[in-house]
């Protein structure tokens, strides 16, 4: 793990290496890690906005998460209208999670091998382009054959696009952000903007055209995504940041590398936290639109829900602007704990207070949750684990753990909604979230004071006003001896 001086710890700089410390051999691993730290630098948001590559990768996020938001905002209502009950909707989500669970370890290995090559991303785009034909043409025919079979096939297919596909998209773009020198969180806000925009458009299409048209809109977004992926370039300087787009030049993921990662106490805690919080974030939202519709007795509940989600996601984009700065200040572990605390408030509040105004407020809290989770996850991975296998760490620690959680919780909670009602199910869900968060917190080490390779204090600069609050302390790269020693101590 590469360690650099943190601006948040400027008052207590790390002590220099002990003069009489025995010299360690400069291995290929430490040499490459030192080179990464010394050469890469993350630009501020103002600087990134002037670069075409930033807009290109922002566009990738925008159109991918347009497809994502269409599905997760409307799939519960559309499946309900198509004749599926809550249990079968839960089955679709469970199958999606199980499929993603099987694919993500392979995807992580392949993406680390591919580096910035686009093969896996292109496959995700191709699957996304077929969403319209699948749901409008194929799914009704499958339901006529067998409802359970149709649910299973839909779950497998949408996993290729979403729960498994998103890991490819996030890992590829996070690696690209480091390679191109811009902040991951700043590019990721385009995904939030897409969510708000597409939810509003989708709500209008649902009400004024017909519900099936939302799937054709998803296919259109996937086609635009494909064009942007085709033209996306990796600047020559990207190779200097330790990220290559040539096959075989990425990290070589060996069995020992994976075993070392799995034995890391912080990684185990991270997996536990994602299993019980990130997964239940999705499970909670899967059928929340149905719960919302049940408690809104006047007006157009579907249209109101679409408008609330639109406001929430635009607010999420605003929070994403300051999330990298905030997480750098408090640390990624604290950011994940805060995300879990807000999730508990939202789930528990939805169970206890169900007025229209309260349900709107609980939904809007997600505007804070999602940016905290996304930025904290990426920063914790790149700070605490070897960045050369960041895709593997992300897909195992976040993707697989989250998929396991969704697979474990979707069907039971789907059945619980029917058996004991949404409110009682939400009370149980909040208890699970608290228990998992407490257990994970004891395992995860604190990352505050650490930065990912290539990052420096300019990562805190969001705008001129905030920039005045951040001391202009240059990045200090540790020697290869320091890296080797600190990496060993951190894993003890």
């Amino acid at each position: 793990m590469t360690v650099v001086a943190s601006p948040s710890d400027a008052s207590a700089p790390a002590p220099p290496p002990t003069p009489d410390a025995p010299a360690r051999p400069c291995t290929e691993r430490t040499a490459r890690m030192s080179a990464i730290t010394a050469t890469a630098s993350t630009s501020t948001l103002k600087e990134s906005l002037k670069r075409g590559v930033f807009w290109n990768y922002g566009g990738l996020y925008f159109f991918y998460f347009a497809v994502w938001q269409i599905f997760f905002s409307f799939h519960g209502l559309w499946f309900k209208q198509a004749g599926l009950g809550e249990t079968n909707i839960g089955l679709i989500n469970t199958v999606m999670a199980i499929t993603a669970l099987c694919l993500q370890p392979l995807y992580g290995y392949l993406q680390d091998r591919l580096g910035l090559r686009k093969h896996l991303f292109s496959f995700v785009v191709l699957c996304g382009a077929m969403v319209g034909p699948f749901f409008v043409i194929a799914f009704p025919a499958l339901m006529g054959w067998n409802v359970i079979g149709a649910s299973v096939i839909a779950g497998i297919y949408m996993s290729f696009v979403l729960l498994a596909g998103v890991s490819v998209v996030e890992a590829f773009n996070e690696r690209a952000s480091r390679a191109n020198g811009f902040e991951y969180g700043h590019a990721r806000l385009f995904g939030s903007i897409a969510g708000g925009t597409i939810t509003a458009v989708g709500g209008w299409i649902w009400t004024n055209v017909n519900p099936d048209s939302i799937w054709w809109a998803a296919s259109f977004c996937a086609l635009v995504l494909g064009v942007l992926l085709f033209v996306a370039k990796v600047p020559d300087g990207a190779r200097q940041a330790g990220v290559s787009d040539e096959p075989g030049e990425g990290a070589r993921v060996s069995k020992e590398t994976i075993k070392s990662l799995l034995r890391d106490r912080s990684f185990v805690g991270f997996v536990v936290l994602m299993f019980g919080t990130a997964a239940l974030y999705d499970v909670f939202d899967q059928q929340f639109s149905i719960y919302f519709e049940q408690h809104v007795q006047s007006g157009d509940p579907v249209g109101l829900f679409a408008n609330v989600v639109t406001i929430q996601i635009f607010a999420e984009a605003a929070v994403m602007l300051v999330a990298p700065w905030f997480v750098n200040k408090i640390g990624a572990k604290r950011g994940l704990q805060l995300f879990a605390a807000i999730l508990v408030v939202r789930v528990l509040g939805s169970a206890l207070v169900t007025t229209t105004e309260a349900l709107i407020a609980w939904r809007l809290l997600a505007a804070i949750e999602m940016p905290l989770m996304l930025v904290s996850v990426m920063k914790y991975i790149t700070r605490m684990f070897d960045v050369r296998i960041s895709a593997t760490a992300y897909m195992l620690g976040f993707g697989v753990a989250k998929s396991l959680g969704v697979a474990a919780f979707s069907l039971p909670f789907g059945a619980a909604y029917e058996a004991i009602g949404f409110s009682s199910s939400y009370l149980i869900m909040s208890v699970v979230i608290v228990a998992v968060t407490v257990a994970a917190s004891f395992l995860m080490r604190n990352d505050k004071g650490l930065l990912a390779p290539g990052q420096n204090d300019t990562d805190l600069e969001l705008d001129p006003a905030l920039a005045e609050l951040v001391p202009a302390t240059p990045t200090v790269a540790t020697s290869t001896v320091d890296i080797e020693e600190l990496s060993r101590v951190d894993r003890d």
Side-chain angles (χ1 to χ4, degrees), residues 2-3 17 30 33-34 476-486:
T2 307
V3 182
T30 55
M33 292 174 71
S34 181
V476 181
T478 60
S479 68
T480 56
V481 173
D482 297 331
I483 295 171
E484 189 78 13
E485 179 65 19
L486 289 171

Side-chain angles (χ1 to χ4, degrees), residues 288-305 308 354-360:
F288 185 77
S289 59
I290 298 173
Y291 185 65
F292 187 92
E293 187 179 13
Q294 289 175 354
H295 287 85
V296 177
Q297 303 299 328
S298 61
D300 177 17
V302 175
L304 176 61
F305 182 73
V308 170
T354 59
T355 63
T356 299
E357 295 77 12
L359 290 175
I360 291 173

Side-chain angles (χ1 to χ4, degrees), residues 178-303:
R178 286 188 281 114
N180 290 285
F182 57 82
E183 175 64 63
Y184 159 81
H186 293 158
R188 183 59 175 76
L189 72 87
F190 283 85
S192 298
I193 295 172
T197 304
I198 296 303
T199 300
V201 173
W204 183 89
I205 291 174
W206 181 285
T207 303
N208 297 284
V209 184
N210 62 71
D212 288 348
S213 296
I214 61 172
W215 303 125
W216 294 115
S219 289
F220 173 78
C221 292
L223 291 174
V224 178
L225 173 65
V227 173
L228 290 173
L229 180 63
F230 178 76
V231 301
K233 301 294 183 182
V234 181
D236 292 338
R239 292 179 179 83
Q240 297 177 1
V243 183
S244 175
D245 61 351
E246 297 299 326
E249 292 298 320
R252 298 184 181 277
V253 185
S254 65
K255 290 182 179 180
E256 287 304 316
T257 303
I258 299 299
K259 288 180 180 179
S260 176
L261 183 68
L262 295 177
R263 287 193 298 263
D264 191 310
R265 190 187 79 186
S266 293
F267 184 76
V268 173
F270 179 72
V271 168
V272 170
L273 188 64
M274 294 302 99
F275 175 86
T277 59
L280 285 176
Y281 177 97
D282 282 0
V283 172
F284 175 66
D285 280 350
Q286 282 169 3
Q287 302 189 45
F288 185 77
S289 59
I290 298 173
Y291 185 65
F292 187 92
E293 187 179 13
Q294 289 175 354
H295 287 85
V296 177
Q297 303 299 328
S298 61
D300 177 17
V302 175

